[in-house]
Amino acid sequence: MALTRVNELVQSATALFFFTFLILLGGVHTFCAHAAPAKVIGARVAGDDERTRFVLDLDTQIKPEISGLAQPFRLIVDLPEVDFQLPDGAGTDGRGMVTTWRFGLFAPGKSRIVMDLSGPVSVDKTFFLPAVDDQPARLVIDLVKSTPDDFDAFVLSSRTKGKAKAAKTVPKTDRLGGDAKRSGKPLIVLDPGHGGIDNGATGVGGTLEKAIVLNFANLLKDKLEKSGLYDVHLTREDDTFISLSRRVQIGHELEADLFISIHADSVRRGRKFARGATVYTLSDKASDQLSAELAEVENMSDIIAGVELDEEPTDVTDILLDLAKRETRSFSNYFAKILVTELKSAVRLIKNPHRSAGFRVLKAHDVPSVLVELGYLSNEHDEKLLNTEEWRERMANAMSDAIHGFFRPRLARQKGTVSQ
């Protein structure tokens, strides 16, 4: 009898143990499923022009994917999404064969480090050191001097391996609501510039272009949607990098009726004098030196983020495509003139506010497109205005009025058709 009682107690205790174990296991599983991204808490470069070491301090082990890009020489380190907890200015000073480096979110679930190189390199070895005592875990990448031919071979092999995987991270049009065109309303694509690893310009007071333009794009989107007249989509809705070609492709795939790229750049020359909103349209030759410089900077976005540039056709052989481009440019210029007129009464404009240059993001042959500089972060007065709610409201209202004016004939026709 006593033995039976003991067996019952043992069975009960065993059942309780396994029940508790399963609960704990489930808790561990839940914790793992929602685990925070790894933290990068330190980074440094050491070495010389023959051998250079790049070190990341982390709180947990991660696996890098390393590739290269030439013209200019760059080393790309792709990581799972990480939390970069690095001081301001990290990456601006390089050493050895790494001249500068930058970091940030590249795509959902994916972070990237891009190293600018003084010349061709080879990855001698990559290894991970686990945390010991009070020392953090470390990811170490050793680089040695190489030849252009060897680096080209490394670029070819590494980028070929990564292309299939990278294609999966490209934002899909479906996620942006590609079927909304069927509503019959004009469809507008707002394109907040830069994002993720590409910060864009930095203001004299530290304002990041990528943040200020996303904030403004959301404000303008809300105003347009509240009118009930348009379908509005953003090329990016968070701090994620989108390549220039993909931005153009989004407008094309959505069959947008208007594409507005939003920026707040910095200029190298005439910082005190270059201020005020500016509207840019596409042209083969820049209208002035400032426009040429800005287009050059904006077109570097893919290079900054370590994106392989797609080759573009140098001439147009299809006469229908050529005619479509001419018509699209005419509509782009028409909207630019309306926009400048509305902005004049609302905000300060730069001298000769309608300018043009070869911006890659405006090259959709079938979508009227403009690039709007809200102001210039290199000018302290513009930077202060961009950070005030009152100025952003005035700017957004003026742009909304310009969009209403551009689509007024179409909206009137649609209203007449409905009434009939």
Side-chain angles (χ1 to χ4, degrees):
M1 194 73 174
L3 183 60
T4 303
R5 180 57 179 163
V6 169
N7 287 337
E8 288 176 352
L9 289 173
V10 170
Q11 290 173 0
S12 298
T14 304
L16 180 61
F17 170 81
F18 279 106
F19 179 73
T20 305
F21 176 77
L22 288 173
I23 291 176
L24 290 173
L25 184 63
V28 171
H29 175 76
T30 302
F31 174 78
C32 292
H34 299 87
K39 294 183 178 66
V40 176
I41 54 179
R44 55 200 170 278
V45 187
D48 52 32
D49 291 338
E50 296 294 327
R51 176 176 287 274
T52 303
R53 170 168 286 187
F54 184 83
V55 182
L56 286 183
D57 295 334
L58 304 114
D59 66 343
T60 187
Q61 183 168 351
I62 55 176
K63 183 179 180 181
E65 294 180 6
I66 302 175
S67 58
L69 281 175
Q71 299 179 348
F73 294 111
R74 285 155 292 159
L75 195 72
I76 315 300
V77 182
D78 283 325
L79 308 167
E81 184 173 339
V82 298
D83 179 11
F84 287 102
Q85 298 183 354
L86 300 178
D88 294 339
T92 54
D93 294 326
R95 192 166 180 177
M97 292 175 286
V98 177
T99 56
T100 57
W101 54 278
R102 53 199 164 272
F103 54 91
L105 189 64
F106 181 71
K110 181 178 181 180
S111 294
R112 170 169 286 189
I113 296 171
V114 178
M115 302 181 206
D116 296 320
L117 306 172
S118 59
V121 303
S122 292
V123 179
D124 183 40
K125 55 182 177 291
T126 302
F127 56 93
F128 191 88
L129 297 173
V132 178
D133 297 329
D134 60 343
Q135 297 297 315
R138 290 171 182 166
L139 173 64
V140 181
I141 303 173
D142 281 342
L143 309 176
V144 294
K145 191 173 183 178
S146 183
T147 66
D149 288 344
D150 286 345
F151 188 80
D152 287 343
F154 166 64
V155 169
L156 182 61
S157 63
S158 63
R159 300 304 285 183
T160 300
K161 291 177 183 176
K163 272 186 177 180
K165 187 171 182 179
K168 297 178 182 179
T169 67
V170 174
K172 302 299 182 184
T173 304
D174 294 342
R175 189 172 68 86
L176 297 169
D179 58 350
K181 180 72 173 158
R182 300 172 190 169
S183 71
K185 298 176 184 178
L187 193 148
I188 301 166
V189 172
L190 302 179
D191 173 47
H194 310 281
I197 190 173
D198 178 16
N199 290 329
T202 302
V204 289
T207 302
L208 293 182
E209 180 183 6
K210 67 175 182 178
I212 206 78
V213 297
L214 180 59
N215 181 295
F216 182 82
N218 278 311
L219 173 63
L220 181 56
K221 180 177 185 286
D222 289 342
K223 287 185 177 294
L224 293 172
E225 288 182 333
K226 284 177 181 177
S227 72
L229 299 173
Y230 313 101
D231 289 318
V232 187
H233 294 273
L234 301 182
T235 54
R236 67 178 179 96
E237 298 177 348
D238 51 24
D239 186 20
T240 303
F241 174 80
I242 306 291
S243 70
L244 294 174
S245 60
R246 181 58 190 160
R247 294 170 190 266
V248 174
Q249 190 179 16
I250 287 171
H252 173 73
E253 289 179 356
L254 291 175
E255 299 178 23
D257 298 293
L258 183 63
F259 181 97
I260 303 175
S261 194
I262 302 170
H263 292 260
D265 272 301
S266 180
V267 297
R268 289 169 287 187
R269 291 183 288 180
R271 288 173 173 264
K272 293 183 179 179
F273 305 104
R275 65 168 301 200
T278 317
V279 181
Y280 288 94
T281 49
L282 180 67
S283 65
D284 299 323
K285 184 178 180 181
S287 58
D288 56 274
Q289 185 61 34
L290 174 61
S291 301
E293 290 180 2
L294 284 178
E296 182 182 357
V297 170
E298 288 301 331
N299 292 345
M300 288 283 288
S301 180
D302 288 358
I303 292 177
I304 288 171
V307 174
E308 191 170 18
L309 301 182
D310 298 322
E311 292 188 7
E312 298 177 351
T314 54
D315 51 17
V316 178
T317 56
D318 190 331
I319 189 170
L320 293 177
L321 182 60
D322 189 29
L323 290 172
K325 283 187 173 183
R326 291 183 187 180
E327 184 180 33
T328 298
R329 289 195 185 187
S330 295
F331 279 118
S332 300
N333 287 322
Y334 174 59
F335 174 68
K337 291 176 182 177
I338 295 175
L339 182 53
V340 166
T341 300
E342 292 293 343
L343 292 178
K344 278 181 181 177
S345 60
V347 297
R348 174 170 178 150
L349 298 179
I350 199 171
K351 185 179 180 181
N352 302 322
H354 180 192
R355 304 188 180 200
S356 60
F359 293 94
R360 287 183 61 205
V361 78
L362 301 181
K363 290 193 174 182
H365 69 271
D366 54 350
V367 181
S369 306
V370 300
L371 185 148
V372 177
E373 291 286 353
L374 301 176
Y376 295 89
L377 287 174
S378 47
N379 183 284
E380 60 179 343
H381 300 292
D382 271 6
E383 183 180 17
K384 288 178 181 177
L385 287 173
L386 287 168
N387 282 293
T388 63
E389 185 177 345
E390 186 216 351
W391 183 92
R392 290 196 297 266
E393 281 286 329
R394 290 206 315 270
M395 185 71 178
N397 287 335
M399 289 184 66
S400 297
D401 290 341
I403 291 168
H404 296 331
F406 180 68
F407 287 111
R408 186 170 289 119
R410 172 173 167 176
L411 295 171
R413 288 196 304 271
Q414 288 179 340
K415 185 176 181 181
T417 301
V418 171
S419 299
Q420 291 173 17

